[in-house]
Amino acid sequence: MARPRKPLLSTDRIVDTARELVDAEGLAAVSTRRLAAELGVSGPSLYNHFRTKDEILEAVADSVSAQVDLSMFEDGRDWRTALHDWALSYRTALRDHPNIVPVLARGPGRRPAALRLADAVYGAMVEAGWPPAQATSIGALMRYFIMGSALGSFAGGFVDDASAYDPADYPHLGQAHRLAERQEKVDERAFETGLTALLDGLAQHYARLG
């Protein structure tokens, strides 16, 4: 009887496995030795696809950027609606893979999906009538806002122990112990509030361009 064949090693398979490790255990879990063990191959075989661990993490980061929907910049939505819908898609991708955010935060570098993302946002803003310099600033500020929201949970940063918030010391935090149990709702509402405020400000600025 023929022996069952091992799945062929591929770039996509390495990236998928590395992303699963990052999601489950963080950036420190990724090493060529660990990946080789997870994939059932010898360590040196990985070097046929990636030269270093950093290259693997860059590829993982780009695979997350590739999950961000960019169709809103191509289907006729106005610039504000497009930015809003893109921000939600971008945040969803980062929320699903928060451990890779520090790598993404370094910037697009040479990552293809990240560069396509930057190109789509910048191009859409210029086509909408924003001056190039301001279009660049919009891309930057949106990135700061979205990535900042993905770096940690505001609500999750409060412990669910009411005794930690002695009213003698913190007279306005009497309900802070309830934030953790409402983490998702609080964080989602905060993101939407901030995004709306940001876009309102840009809309006022845009109106002055004419």
Side-chain angles (χ1 to χ4, degrees), residues 146-160:
I146 298 165
M147 287 198 175
S149 75
L151 286 173
S153 164
F154 171 81
F158 291 83
V159 299
D160 60 359

Side-chain angles (χ1 to χ4, degrees), residues 17-81:
T17 301
R19 186 174 58 245
E20 291 171 2
L21 276 176
V22 172
D23 287 346
E25 302 180 32
L27 296 172
V30 178
S31 67
T32 53
R33 178 178 297 180
R34 177 73 184 276
L35 275 175
E38 294 286 337
L39 292 161
V41 300
S42 63
S45 63
L46 296 177
Y47 295 115
N48 293 322
H49 301 271
F50 296 99
R51 292 175 297 177
T52 65
K53 169 185 170 178
D54 283 345
E55 283 191 358
I56 295 172
L57 291 177
E58 287 286 311
V60 170
D62 211 39
S63 74
V64 173
S65 293
Q67 297 176 14
V68 181
D69 183 15
L70 299 177
S71 64
M72 64 285 296
F73 297 117
E74 303 170 353
D75 61 10
R77 275 173 263 191
D78 64 271
W79 68 265
R80 176 184 171 137
T81 302

Side-chain angles (χ1 to χ4, degrees), residues 1-205:
M1 180 181 295
R3 298 174 61 185
R5 296 180 59 189
K6 293 181 179 179
L8 292 175
L9 187 62
S10 67
T11 297
D12 287 345
R13 189 168 167 238
I14 295 170
V15 172
D16 289 346
T17 301
R19 186 174 58 245
E20 291 171 2
L21 276 176
V22 172
D23 287 346
E25 302 180 32
L27 296 172
V30 178
S31 67
T32 53
R33 178 178 297 180
R34 177 73 184 276
L35 275 175
E38 294 286 337
L39 292 161
V41 300
S42 63
S45 63
L46 296 177
Y47 295 115
N48 293 322
H49 301 271
F50 296 99
R51 292 175 297 177
T52 65
K53 169 185 170 178
D54 283 345
E55 283 191 358
I56 295 172
L57 291 177
E58 287 286 311
V60 170
D62 211 39
S63 74
V64 173
S65 293
Q67 297 176 14
V68 181
D69 183 15
L70 299 177
S71 64
M72 64 285 296
F73 297 117
E74 303 170 353
D75 61 10
R77 275 173 263 191
D78 64 271
W79 68 265
R80 176 184 171 137
T81 302
L83 277 182
H84 176 273
D85 296 347
W86 166 71
L88 295 182
S89 178
Y90 199 175
R91 182 169 183 263
T92 295
L94 299 188
R95 184 188 59 200
D96 291 343
H97 308 281
N99 291 334
I100 199 64
V101 171
V103 179
L104 285 164
R106 299 172 190 164
R110 297 178 181 272
R111 300 193 297 268
L115 289 171
R116 283 192 293 271
L117 187 155
D119 181 74
V121 175
Y122 176 79
M125 294 306 100
V126 171
E127 289 177 8
W130 286 96
Q134 292 182 353
T136 299
S137 295
I138 289 170
L141 72 88
M142 293 296 291
R143 179 170 169 270
Y144 297 150
F145 177 69
I146 298 165
M147 287 198 175
S149 75
L151 286 173
S153 164
F154 171 81
F158 291 83
V159 299
D160 60 359
D161 178 4
S163 67
Y165 308 103
D166 187 329
D169 296 320
Y170 316 109
H172 306 296
L173 297 182
Q175 299 299 311
H177 64 285
R178 304 181 64 185
L179 287 172
E181 67 184 42
R182 302 175 181 178
Q183 177 178 332
E184 183 174 355
K185 183 177 181 179
V186 171
D187 290 346
E188 290 291 336
R189 186 172 58 219
F191 181 80
E192 187 63 46
T193 299
L195 180 59
T196 299
L198 189 158
L199 294 175
D200 283 349
L202 286 176
Q204 291 178 16
H205 188 58

